[in-house]
Amino acid sequence: MSPEIASYCGYAASVFIVLSFILKDVRKIRFVNMIGCILFVIYGIFSGMLWPIIIPNAILCFIQVYHLVRNEKTPS
C-alpha cells in the first residue's frame, strides 16, 4: 500500500473516531468506533508497523465487537 493511501486511512480513522463521539445510540457509537479502530490498525501496519497505534486500536476493536455481540444476544 502506498504511503499516500495509508495516510488517507489514518485521516478516515480520525473522522470515524470523532464521529463516534457525536452519536447518541450506543450501538452506533460502538460500530462507528470499531470502523475507526480497524482503519487505525490498517494505518499502523502500512505506515511501518507502528505498534503504539496497532496494539490499543486492535484491543479496542475486539472490545467493541464483544459488546456488540453481547448486547445483540441480551433481550431488550
Side-chain angles (χ1 to χ4, degrees):
M1 179 180 291
S2 73
E4 185 176 311
I5 294 174
S7 292
Y8 288 139
C9 280
Y11 289 127
S14 296
V15 169
F16 277 99
I17 298 297
V18 170
L19 182 61
S20 73
F21 284 96
I22 296 170
L23 300 171
K24 291 185 179 184
D25 180 22
V26 175
R27 287 188 55 77
K28 288 179 184 174
I29 291 169
R30 291 193 182 283
F31 186 74
V32 170
N33 188 273
M34 181 184 64
I35 292 171
C37 290
I38 291 169
L39 287 170
F40 266 132
V41 169
I42 292 169
Y43 169 74
I45 290 170
F46 289 107
S47 293
M49 298 307 286
L50 303 173
W51 293 109
I53 293 173
I54 297 169
I55 292 170
N57 282 289
I59 292 169
L60 287 172
C61 186
F62 284 115
I63 291 170
Q64 300 298 18
V65 169
Y66 169 78
H67 284 291
L68 285 168
V69 170
R70 191 185 110 229
N71 287 342
E72 189 173 289
K73 291 181 181 180
T74 57
S76 300

